[in-house]
Amino acid sequence: MTVSDWSDWLPRAVESADPETVAIWYLGCNGFVLKGSDGTTVFIDPYVGVGDPPRTVRMVPVPFDPEDVTEADAVLATHEHTDHVHGPSQAPILENTGATFVAPDDSLAVAYDDEAWLDDYDLSEDQFEEVSEGDTIEIGEFTVHVEPAYDPDATHPVSYVFEHESGTFFHGGDTKPSDEFTDIGSRYDIDLGVLAFGTVGNIADKETGEPVRTKWYNDENQIVEAASDLDLDRLLPSHWDMWKGMTSDPKVLHHHAKSFAAPRSLELVEIGDRVDL
């Protein structure tokens, strides 16, 4: 059972918000909530698990209990890793709201087979929608384009571009720089983009338990390279706060980004913060 460190104030803040454009809350790790001016609410990669100590140890609060979420139109997953597809974090949202789970095939396989959401939760098969690169779907007031991502640790990662009358938002999941990003940057005018940022750490090997030099996310140069290729107006670094041994300080990115035309600014947020398009 999930226990929120912050009671239910964050779900209530999302529900009571009346944004003029699109409001975006950072949930820690790589999780976000988007709420449009007409009320459409979309979760991306929400995760409230604590990891798998001592290998992966959560370093930020659990900001909400999924059982407290009563308004959602969709939950999107970027790839199949447990901090992006996680039944206890996501299935209760689907169960309580009737939202649709949108994800690529390998992410759906986790929900269907590895975690058996349909057996353990009151869900129907029509709440699951498979997407792949090149697809476009409509979620309320958002037009969502499914684009490529490059994450060598994942089996089928994707990125998402959200178009809204107020602006365009990009979520790259745990992607590193990709050959496709220059094309994506030329096809969309991205106002705000999320890219995963972290450091290299000694993380216990799954099999032996011995510390192994591990790099899961972009370093300072990679995240700016990806943001530059995507031609982002604003870069929001994510994931830097989450795992013990992999955390970093996003303020250092000012130095790495200052000689590039893009990103034009950095949007540095902490868990629970809200930004707007």
Side-chain angles (χ1 to χ4, degrees):
M1 179 178 178
T2 300
V3 177
S4 170
D5 293 310
W6 293 347
S7 187
D8 66 346
W9 78 261
L10 186 55
R12 300 294 83 82
V14 173
E15 290 169 11
S16 64
D18 186 20
E20 294 183 0
T21 57
V22 177
I24 301 165
W25 290 263
Y26 181 43
L27 304 178
C29 197
N30 221 343
F32 290 83
V33 187
L34 279 63
K35 185 174 186 179
S37 53
D38 289 341
T40 301
T41 304
V42 178
F43 285 75
I44 310 167
D45 288 349
Y47 176 71
V48 294
V50 297
D52 185 23
R55 183 172 186 266
T56 49
V57 179
R58 186 183 184 103
M59 297 294 288
V60 290
V62 175
F64 71 98
D65 183 337
E67 295 284 357
D68 290 329
V69 176
T70 60
E71 296 180 6
D73 295 280
V75 177
L76 276 62
T78 58
H79 62 287
E80 75 285 350
H81 290 165
T82 190
D83 54 341
H84 299 260
V85 180
H86 184 241
S89 299
Q90 297 163 1
I93 299 175
L94 306 181
E95 191 176 55
N96 292 341
T97 67
T100 302
F101 185 68
V102 179
D105 51 2
D106 290 354
S107 297
L108 289 177
V110 173
Y112 286 145
D113 303 325
D114 298 351
E115 296 188 353
W117 294 8
L118 288 169
D119 294 336
D120 295 339
Y121 301 91
D122 184 16
L123 304 174
S124 62
E125 291 188 9
D126 61 6
Q127 286 182 262
F128 295 82
E129 181 172 355
E130 180 179 333
V131 293
S132 188
E133 297 87 339
D135 289 348
T136 296
I137 61 173
E138 302 292 334
I139 304 175
E141 63 203 275
F142 295 105
T143 298
V144 184
H145 305 277
V146 185
E147 296 290 348
Y150 174 64
D151 179 1
D153 296 317
T155 57
H156 188 184
V158 299
S159 60
Y160 295 107
V161 178
F162 289 77
E163 288 189 308
H164 186 270
E165 63 180 11
S166 304
T168 302
F169 172 75
F170 173 87
H171 192 302
D174 291 352
T175 189
K176 294 182 175 67
S178 167
D179 292 340
E180 288 89 354
F181 281 177
T182 300
D183 175 62
I184 294 173
S186 69
R187 288 189 285 114
Y188 305 102
D189 181 10
I190 303 174
D191 297 285
L192 177 64
V194 166
L195 293 166
F197 173 55
T199 190
V200 176
N202 281 324
I203 302 298
D205 180 81
K206 280 186 177 181
E207 302 299 328
T208 68
E210 294 298 315
V212 176
R213 183 177 173 86
T214 302
K215 180 182 177 183
W216 284 330
Y217 314 117
N218 292 294
D219 63 20
E220 294 91 337
N221 295 306
Q222 287 176 311
I223 193 172
V224 172
E225 177 187 349
S228 179
D229 288 345
L230 289 163
D231 197 26
L232 301 183
D233 286 339
R234 298 151 67 192
L235 166 64
L236 195 161
S238 61
H239 234 321
W240 56 269
D241 55 358
M242 186 62 179
W243 301 125
K244 185 175 179 63
M246 306 296 284
T247 59
S248 192
D249 183 354
K251 295 191 296 294
V252 303
L253 298 178
H254 287 289
H255 301 288
H256 291 267
K258 65 182 179 181
S259 66
F260 291 84
R264 281 164 275 285
S265 67
L266 294 175
E267 196 76 55
L268 304 185
V269 299
E270 296 177 324
I271 183 171
D273 285 351
R274 168 183 165 175
V275 299
D276 288 59
L277 282 185

